[in-house]
Amino acid sequence: MQNLLAFLAKYNHWFLFLLLEVVCAVLLFQYNSYQGSVWFSSANFVSGKAYEARANMESYFALATLNEQLTARNVVLEHQVEKLSRQLEALRTDAGAGIPAALKDSLDQFHLIPAKVVSNETHHPGNLITIDKGSADGVRVDMGVVCGTGIVGIVYLVSTHYSVVIPVLNSKSNISCKIQGRDYFGYLHWNGGSSRIAYVDDVPRHAHFRLKDKIVTSGYSSVFPPGLMVGKILHVFNSPDGLSFRLQVELSTDFGRLRDVCVIDDATMNERLRILRMAQDSIKSDRH
């Protein structure tokens, strides 16, 4: 204690100097508008750089997990490519070159627009996601959005450089899905709660499947092509009316860690949507 008092007594003039400097700075920036604005701008610049550095650091430490997901996804895709190659070779042998060309055209109609998530919600009934791509990048309303592990949602609003996506984790989301390899389909809904659990409703009672079977997109909508990963079956329930099954699904997409996504640009989507809307308008006019 005596050493501390001796230290303070020896350097008391330095402590007084620092105190007076702080008081002068506070008076200068608080009661002078020009100096205050300079301080405010500088503080915002420094805090912005600090937040940017923090975001870059978080992204860096997340690279390992993202690389693992991409590697696993690439393994699956390589397997699918090999399987398609064998099927195409069989078609060339059995039916000539015309059918493979048609299949190739159907695969070439999709173009992926890479984007980054700049805002993400997971705990509200009306969750929304904002991505850093907009109309200037070719994004349009009603395009599907996916990531390396599965589906994400559907584009809802588009500006020049940003887009808002209605994700699977939104009470208004309604995506047609099917049980992989069995072709029984239903509709994917999220009812709140865990960001990893959703439900597929309206699966027929005569459907045959097992727990852990994969759920994929059905391709019956004009948004997602068939076969995109959705999740796997955890539990099976009866629907409230007892006429169908309700499947509890563990989603393959981890929305809590979502960073990189792709928007699906389907060249035929606009045509299909236009025909569907024409049919709906025709039905409405006939009713009236």
Side-chain angles (χ1 to χ4, degrees):
M1 187 64 182
Q2 292 180 349
N3 291 336
L4 177 61
L5 293 176
F7 175 81
L8 294 176
K10 182 177 180 181
Y11 298 101
N12 67 86
H13 54 284
W14 287 108
F15 292 114
L16 179 62
F17 173 77
L18 291 176
L19 177 62
L20 292 176
E21 285 291 321
V22 171
V23 172
C24 290
V26 171
L27 294 175
L28 177 65
F29 294 115
Q30 185 172 358
Y31 296 102
N32 294 275
S33 57
Y34 174 75
Q35 286 83 357
S37 63
V38 170
W39 167 258
F40 181 78
S41 300
S42 301
N44 280 345
F45 176 79
V46 173
S47 62
K49 286 295 183 181
Y51 285 133
E52 182 180 358
R54 177 185 174 184
N56 290 336
M57 185 176 297
E58 291 177 350
S59 298
Y60 177 79
F61 285 112
L63 286 178
T65 302
L66 290 174
N67 285 335
E68 291 175 0
Q69 294 175 351
L70 291 174
T71 300
R73 187 62 177 168
N74 285 337
V75 170
V76 174
L77 290 175
E78 288 291 340
H79 175 71
Q80 293 176 347
V81 167
E82 178 63 24
K83 182 178 179 180
L84 285 173
S85 298
R86 292 196 301 267
Q87 292 175 347
L88 289 174
E89 186 62 31
L91 287 173
R92 289 192 183 97
T93 303
D94 297 338
I99 294 178
L103 288 176
K104 182 178 183 302
D105 292 338
S106 67
L107 295 176
D108 287 343
Q109 67 187 359
F110 302 111
H111 170 63
L112 298 180
I113 303 172
K116 289 189 176 296
V117 173
V118 297
S119 175
N120 186 15
E121 301 172 341
T122 59
H123 302 296
H124 308 288
N127 292 320
L128 296 173
I129 293 174
T130 303
I131 60 175
D132 65 348
K133 291 295 190 303
S135 58
D137 308 288
V139 179
R140 300 186 300 274
V141 173
D142 291 330
M143 282 185 170
V145 182
V146 297
C147 67
T149 56
I151 65 172
V152 173
I154 300 173
V155 176
Y156 178 59
L157 292 174
V158 177
S159 66
T160 305
H161 299 293
Y162 294 92
S163 300
V164 175
V165 178
I166 293 182
V168 171
L169 303 185
N170 186 299
S171 59
K172 295 183 179 179
S173 177
N174 186 26
I175 298 173
S176 178
C177 302
K178 67 179 180 180
I179 303 172
Q180 189 179 52
R182 302 181 188 272
D183 291 336
Y184 296 109
F185 73 95
Y187 295 91
L188 183 71
H189 301 282
W190 182 71
N191 299 326
S194 172
S195 62
R196 297 305 303 270
I197 301 297
Y199 295 88
V200 174
D201 295 319
D202 301 329
V203 177
R205 295 283 300 182
H206 61 271
H208 298 285
F209 53 84
R210 293 174 296 181
L211 297 182
K212 303 299 183 181
D213 277 355
K214 293 180 179 179
I215 301 296
V216 297
T217 53
S218 66
Y220 293 154
S221 72
S222 56
V223 178
F224 293 104
L228 296 179
M229 188 65 181
V230 174
K232 59 183 179 181
I233 302 173
L234 290 183
H235 298 289
V236 181
F237 306 94
N238 287 321
S239 63
D241 57 12
L243 300 178
S244 60
F245 287 130
R246 189 183 205 209
L247 310 181
Q248 185 185 60
V249 177
E250 181 183 18
L251 297 173
S252 59
T253 299
D254 186 352
F255 285 88
R257 306 174 67 178
L258 192 62
R259 295 180 183 274
D260 296 284
V261 297
C262 288
V263 183
I264 302 175
D265 184 5
D266 182 356
T268 65
M269 182 185 72
N270 286 335
E271 181 180 356
R272 284 182 285 171
L273 285 175
R274 185 171 62 253
I275 293 175
L276 178 60
R277 287 166 182 164
M278 288 173 59
Q280 292 172 342
D281 293 340
S282 177
I283 292 173
K284 290 180 181 179
S285 61
D286 291 341
R287 289 176 179 174
H288 295 292

mmCIF file of all heavy atoms in Angstrom, residues 88-101:
data_model
loop_
_atom_site.group_PDB
_atom_site.id
_atom_site.type_symbol
_atom_site.label_atom_id
_atom_site.label_comp_id
_atom_site.label_asym_id
_atom_site.label_seq_id
_atom_site.Cartn_x
_atom_site.Cartn_y
_atom_site.Cartn_z
ATOM 1 N N LEU A 88 -26.860 -41.865 -69.479
ATOM 2 C CA LEU A 88 -26.752 -41.268 -70.817
ATOM 3 C C LEU A 88 -26.083 -42.227 -71.796
ATOM 4 O O LEU A 88 -26.474 -42.325 -72.964
ATOM 5 C CB LEU A 88 -25.969 -39.952 -70.740
ATOM 6 C CG LEU A 88 -26.685 -38.778 -70.063
ATOM 7 C CD1 LEU A 88 -25.746 -37.597 -69.933
ATOM 8 C CD2 LEU A 88 -27.914 -38.373 -70.875
ATOM 9 N N GLU A 89 -25.066 -42.943 -71.322
ATOM 10 C CA GLU A 89 -24.400 -43.906 -72.192
ATOM 11 C C GLU A 89 -25.352 -45.025 -72.592
ATOM 12 O O GLU A 89 -25.364 -45.480 -73.752
ATOM 13 C CB GLU A 89 -23.180 -44.490 -71.470
ATOM 14 C CG GLU A 89 -22.331 -45.402 -72.330
ATOM 15 C CD GLU A 89 -21.741 -44.686 -73.535
ATOM 16 O OE1 GLU A 89 -21.479 -43.465 -73.428
ATOM 17 O OE2 GLU A 89 -21.552 -45.341 -74.577
ATOM 18 N N ALA A 90 -26.181 -45.458 -71.643
ATOM 19 C CA ALA A 90 -27.169 -46.486 -71.965
ATOM 20 C C ALA A 90 -28.186 -45.987 -72.971
ATOM 21 O O ALA A 90 -28.596 -46.712 -73.888
ATOM 22 C CB ALA A 90 -27.867 -46.947 -70.683
ATOM 23 N N LEU A 91 -28.593 -44.713 -72.831
ATOM 24 C CA LEU A 91 -29.558 -44.137 -73.778
ATOM 25 C C LEU A 91 -28.950 -44.018 -75.173
ATOM 26 O O LEU A 91 -29.628 -44.229 -76.183
ATOM 27 C CB LEU A 91 -30.019 -42.764 -73.286
ATOM 28 C CG LEU A 91 -30.980 -42.774 -72.084
ATOM 29 C CD1 LEU A 91 -31.214 -41.347 -71.590
ATOM 30 C CD2 LEU A 91 -32.309 -43.406 -72.487
ATOM 31 N N ARG A 92 -27.673 -43.663 -75.240
ATOM 32 C CA ARG A 92 -27.021 -43.573 -76.551
ATOM 33 C C ARG A 92 -27.008 -44.939 -77.238
ATOM 34 O O ARG A 92 -27.183 -45.043 -78.447
ATOM 35 C CB ARG A 92 -25.587 -43.062 -76.390
ATOM 36 C CG ARG A 92 -25.477 -41.601 -75.998
ATOM 37 C CD ARG A 92 -24.040 -41.118 -76.140
ATOM 38 N NE ARG A 92 -23.918 -39.740 -75.707
ATOM 39 C CZ ARG A 92 -23.514 -39.364 -74.505
ATOM 40 N NH1 ARG A 92 -23.184 -40.293 -73.619
ATOM 41 N NH2 ARG A 92 -23.420 -38.096 -74.198
ATOM 42 N N THR A 93 -26.787 -45.960 -76.438
ATOM 43 C CA THR A 93 -26.734 -47.314 -77.002
ATOM 44 C C THR A 93 -28.105 -47.795 -77.442
ATOM 45 O O THR A 93 -28.263 -48.389 -78.504
ATOM 46 C CB THR A 93 -26.155 -48.298 -75.971
ATOM 47 O OG1 THR A 93 -24.866 -47.837 -75.562
ATOM 48 C CG2 THR A 93 -26.050 -49.688 -76.554
ATOM 49 N N ASP A 94 -29.142 -47.477 -76.631
ATOM 50 C CA ASP A 94 -30.463 -48.034 -76.877
ATOM 51 C C ASP A 94 -31.320 -47.200 -77.820
ATOM 52 O O ASP A 94 -32.156 -47.734 -78.543
ATOM 53 C CB ASP A 94 -31.229 -48.200 -75.554
ATOM 54 C CG ASP A 94 -30.522 -49.196 -74.652
ATOM 55 O OD1 ASP A 94 -29.746 -50.020 -75.180
ATOM 56 O OD2 ASP A 94 -30.746 -49.141 -73.433
ATOM 57 N N ALA A 95 -31.127 -45.881 -77.793
ATOM 58 C CA ALA A 95 -32.073 -45.033 -78.527
ATOM 59 C C ALA A 95 -31.414 -43.994 -79.414
ATOM 60 O O ALA A 95 -32.089 -43.097 -79.902
ATOM 61 C CB ALA A 95 -33.013 -44.344 -77.548
ATOM 62 N N GLY A 96 -30.131 -44.046 -79.622
ATOM 63 C CA GLY A 96 -29.497 -43.093 -80.513
ATOM 64 C C GLY A 96 -29.098 -41.821 -79.784
ATOM 65 O O GLY A 96 -29.241 -41.689 -78.582
ATOM 66 N N ALA A 97 -28.615 -40.847 -80.544
ATOM 67 C CA ALA A 97 -28.064 -39.632 -79.941
ATOM 68 C C ALA A 97 -29.093 -38.563 -79.678
ATOM 69 O O ALA A 97 -28.801 -37.569 -79.019
ATOM 70 C CB ALA A 97 -26.971 -39.060 -80.849
ATOM 71 N N GLY A 98 -30.313 -38.678 -80.194
ATOM 72 C CA GLY A 98 -31.310 -37.625 -80.034
ATOM 73 C C GLY A 98 -31.738 -37.417 -78.607
ATOM 74 O O GLY A 98 -31.876 -36.289 -78.138
ATOM 75 N N ILE A 99 -31.972 -38.458 -77.831
ATOM 76 C CA ILE A 99 -32.462 -38.335 -76.464
ATOM 77 C C ILE A 99 -31.424 -37.699 -75.548
ATOM 78 O O ILE A 99 -31.734 -36.796 -74.794
ATOM 79 C CB ILE A 99 -32.906 -39.711 -75.930
ATOM 80 C CG1 ILE A 99 -34.107 -40.197 -76.720
ATOM 81 C CG2 ILE A 99 -33.233 -39.638 -74.449
ATOM 82 C CD1 ILE A 99 -34.607 -41.577 -76.312
ATOM 83 N N PRO A 100 -30.153 -38.122 -75.592
ATOM 84 C CA PRO A 100 -29.162 -37.449 -74.758
ATOM 85 C C PRO A 100 -29.069 -35.962 -75.031
ATOM 86 O O PRO A 100 -28.864 -35.181 -74.122
ATOM 87 C CB PRO A 100 -27.855 -38.157 -75.104
ATOM 88 C CG PRO A 100 -28.289 -39.523 -75.536
ATOM 89 C CD PRO A 100 -29.579 -39.316 -76.256
ATOM 90 N N ALA A 101 -29.205 -35.541 -76.287
ATOM 91 C CA ALA A 101 -29.170 -34.115 -76.612
ATOM 92 C C ALA A 101 -30.311 -33.388 -75.926
ATOM 93 O O ALA A 101 -30.154 -32.288 -75.389
ATOM 94 C CB ALA A 101 -29.240 -33.922 -78.122
#
